[in-house]
Amino acid sequence: MEEKANPFRNLPKVDAMLERSDVQSLLSSYPRWVVIEGLRRILEEKRKAIKEGLISSISSDEIAKELIDRIDEFSSPSLRRVINATGVVLHTNLGRAPLAKEAVEALCEIAPNYSNLELDLKTGKRGLRYTHVVQIIKRITSCESALVVNNNASAVFLILNTLAKGREVIVSRGELIEIGGAFRLPDVMESAGAILKEVGTTNRTRVSDYENAINENTALILKAHTSNYKIMGFVESPSLKELTALGKKHGIPVYADLGSGLFVDVRKFGLPHEPTVFEVLKSGVDLVSFSGDKLLGATQAGIILGKRELIEKLRKNPINRVLRIDKLTLSALEATLRLYMEEPEEKIPVLQMLKTSLAKLQERATELKDAIGTIPQLRIDIKKAKSAVGGGALPLAELDTVCVCLSSEKLSAKEIEERLRTKPKIPVISRIKDDTVLLDLRTIRDDEIEIAAKSVREAFS
Ligand SMILES: *Cc1c(COP(=O)(O)O)cnc(C)c1O
């Protein structure tokens, strides 16, 4: 039987490619496994392209050229630093909060060494890992007790599972939130074993709605922060104070999922009022939880504060072991929390970014524009714009900002955005508005200006 021409058969083999002198010469600068990995990845892509009918064949010359062009891509780690030029201070896709210098120093001290993670140095007995942050959290917030877990989703899960497994939790229909694809309050509730008792309507829920829903199987009243949306117009929902009064009357604990935990009043940054954790605790709520890496500006963590006996129950739930916080997280979290004892806005990057004045942003924009210099195909201007806080915090709030704007006769905004994201060694993540690419200076630090400029030049070289 005559064999059909098989395009895959003609694809060069990795071994044969490694014999070529141009591929060999890469081996003097890159590890052998990187070169092989690059070849494998390119060959996989070509095989897929042939299968989809996009190409019919490819020569070994073309593969060698592509390997040489893309070798830096193959030799870089998958998780890489990027420049956040989106202006979105808490960008979940970009890792939310960057850490303060003090937090990084703490990480570097703890990471390569042994530590007293679970050892009480005074008594020589076994200690609790939580003690390293609980003391400082108490000092900042005046809470009775505290616990930290892996993230705020874990905190919600742990609280529901501990206090309301097989029992009802009352939530307003206006607060059945979804925070990014995987966190939907009704689903988290179900997997924690709690029964959702919805009350009120999307736009209006009254204290009496909560009260009417209370029965002998009610375990908890939950107030969830509507972090990433806002209902406007004919709206009503009871205050936490009213809910805690109701909870006390019926002996039912009240829990507030704050989403983003704030230890400072954001009105001083020109943002709308958001209650601080301190204010929330003063309303008499039994438990609150929030993320470590939203407006708090620390690492990914779920911080739970509240009544001592409830926190003890949470700590003793075997699920807590599953959601356990890691020592590196703890070290960076403790260091960040300590910064709250004195001028946090001067040291915590997230707060510094919110605080940056327009004059300072203007100055940075000029610096960035000058550092980029001229690029033949690009028009580079400086314009005022608005930046968002992001990360499920203050959904409608916008801050005045200054951007370096890139546009071109030859390239579309989408093409410019893509080049900035894919070509430089340190990618620049930008946003497009009105068919121009904006580099927002709010999220580019002073010490990143040179790096950002270099990346922009690389993207068009
Ligand atoms: C962000 C958020 C969560 C999830 O917090 P993670 O730290 O991302 O797990 C839960 N609830 C609310 C209200 C949030 O805003």
Side-chain angles (χ1 to χ4, degrees):
M1 198 171 79
E2 198 184 327
E3 231 181 277
K4 266 205 205 145
N6 179 349
F8 299 107
R9 181 176 288 260
N10 296 329
L11 267 180
K13 301 273 180 296
V14 170
D15 285 345
M17 288 298 300
L18 283 170
E19 300 290 314
R20 291 174 58 108
S21 62
D22 49 1
V23 174
Q24 283 275 322
S25 61
L26 284 176
L27 292 173
S28 58
S29 329
Y30 298 91
R32 190 176 167 83
W33 76 266
V34 167
V35 175
I36 295 175
E37 175 66 15
L39 284 168
R40 287 200 177 126
R41 295 243 292 264
I42 294 170
L43 287 168
E44 264 163 35
E45 288 168 18
K46 298 306 167 199
R47 219 168 270 132
K48 187 159 172 274
I50 291 173
K51 215 177 197 165
E52 288 167 0
L54 299 173
I55 56 171
S56 55
S57 67
I58 184 138
S59 70
S60 61
D61 283 352
E62 286 168 299
I63 288 174
K65 181 174 179 308
E66 187 163 339
L67 178 68
I68 292 160
D69 284 349
R70 291 173 61 191
I71 191 72
D72 281 331
E73 173 194 331
F74 301 127
S75 68
S76 322
S78 170
L79 183 59
R80 288 155 70 193
R81 166 187 189 172
V82 303
I83 301 286
N84 176 8
T86 65
V88 180
V89 176
L90 294 167
H91 199 304
T92 297
N93 299 358
L94 304 184
R96 289 195 187 154
L99 293 180
K101 179 173 105 304
E102 288 78 359
V104 176
E105 285 165 4
L107 268 176
C108 290
E109 173 79 5
I110 296 305
N113 297 308
Y114 293 103
S115 59
N116 64 334
L117 180 65
E118 292 189 351
L119 177 72
D120 183 331
L121 288 172
K122 283 230 176 60
T123 62
K125 297 220 171 77
R126 172 147 195 197
L128 288 173
R129 60 180 60 213
Y130 313 106
T131 49
H132 304 292
V133 291
V134 167
Q135 201 55 41
I136 189 96
I137 290 175
K138 279 189 188 170
R139 194 67 74 226
I140 299 168
T141 66
S142 310
C143 67
E144 244 182 65
S145 187
L147 181 69
V148 285
V149 287
N150 186 46
N151 56 6
N152 190 33
S154 308
V156 177
F157 183 90
L158 180 64
I159 290 168
L160 294 171
N161 182 267
T162 309
L163 304 180
K165 194 171 173 191
R167 299 178 63 202
E168 290 179 6
V169 178
I170 308 176
V171 189
S172 162
R173 289 197 171 88
E175 296 169 8
L176 293 173
I177 50 172
E178 169 173 326
I179 309 289
F183 185 95
R184 288 182 141 192
L185 193 53
D187 299 346
V188 174
M189 208 170 263
E190 194 186 323
S191 49
I195 301 162
L196 171 62
K197 181 84 182 175
E198 298 175 34
V199 296
T201 60
T202 306
N203 56 327
R204 300 195 89 188
T205 305
R206 300 178 183 81
V207 181
S208 57
D209 295 321
Y210 286 86
E211 185 149 32
N212 292 337
I214 293 176
N215 61 45
E216 66 290 344
N217 201 28
T218 305
L220 191 69
I221 294 172
L222 164 56
K223 182 130 179 91
H225 194 282
T226 56
S227 312
N228 52 6
Y229 67 95
K230 195 142 198 124
I231 302 172
M232 313 273 275
F234 190 53
V235 285
E236 180 181 340
S237 68
S239 68
L240 263 178
K241 211 165 181 165
E242 292 171 284
L243 285 183
T244 52
L246 178 70
K248 278 213 178 68
K249 183 171 153 198
H250 294 272
I252 295 167
V254 176
Y255 158 43
D257 171 13
L258 293 183
S260 201
L262 274 176
F263 290 164
V264 295
D265 188 340
V266 289
R267 277 176 296 194
K268 62 179 153 189
F269 307 133
L271 289 165
H273 176 248
E274 263 296 308
T276 61
V277 171
F278 183 71
E279 286 172 66
V280 172
L281 285 172
K282 255 177 57 181
S283 73
V285 70
D286 299 276
L287 285 174
V288 301
S289 77
F290 49 91
S291 298
D293 57 353
K294 289 185 179 170
L295 286 171
L296 200 71
T299 45
Q300 179 186 304
I303 300 170
I304 308 170
L305 317 180
K307 300 276 152 66
R308 191 169 294 112
E309 73 277 8
L310 294 178
I311 296 282
E312 272 311 288
K313 276 192 193 165
L314 300 177
R315 192 172 63 72
K316 290 187 176 142
N317 184 341
I319 300 277
N320 181 36
R321 179 62 175 77
V322 179
L323 310 172
R324 185 162 86 168
I325 190 158
D326 155 68
K327 67 177 175 184
L328 298 183
T329 306
L330 272 173
S331 71
L333 183 60
E334 184 192 5
T336 310
L337 290 169
R338 290 169 70 96
L339 297 175
Y340 276 97
M341 299 305 285
E342 203 176 23
E343 301 193 318
E345 302 100 280
E346 303 305 321
K347 302 222 165 128
I348 297 175
V350 165
L351 302 179
Q352 284 175 318
M353 287 182 209
L354 292 178
K355 189 189 163 203
T356 314
S357 70
L358 263 187
K360 175 74 199 167
L361 294 168
Q362 185 75 44
E363 193 181 300
R364 260 190 216 158
T366 311
E367 266 177 54
L368 177 60
K369 184 173 184 285
D370 291 347
I372 296 172
T374 52
I375 294 174
Q377 36 194 329
L378 275 195
R379 205 188 126 92
I380 308 175
D381 311 294
I382 293 176
K383 284 200 189 114
K384 291 208 166 120
K386 302 269 185 194
S387 34
V389 175
L394 306 163
L396 299 186
E398 283 189 321
L399 292 161
D400 287 317
T401 192
V402 184
C403 295
V404 167
C405 312
L406 309 180
S407 57
S408 157
E409 306 262 279
K410 292 207 195 85
L411 299 167
S412 69
K414 238 179 137 269
E415 283 167 313
I416 296 173
E417 183 277 331
E418 187 190 336
R419 279 196 187 208
L420 291 168
R421 177 165 41 80
T422 56
K423 288 199 138 202
K425 211 166 173 127
I426 300 181
V428 176
I429 312 302
S430 59
R431 71 176 198 267
I432 297 176
K433 184 149 197 286
D434 301 331
D435 217 36
T436 357
V437 170
L438 305 187
L439 306 180
D440 191 326
L441 276 300
R442 183 173 297 281
T443 47
I444 305 176
R445 289 190 311 264
D446 287 332
D447 63 297
E448 289 181 307
I449 298 281
E450 280 303 323
I451 300 165
K454 183 161 175 274
S455 288
V456 172
R457 291 196 302 271
E458 270 172 52
F460 297 96
S461 65

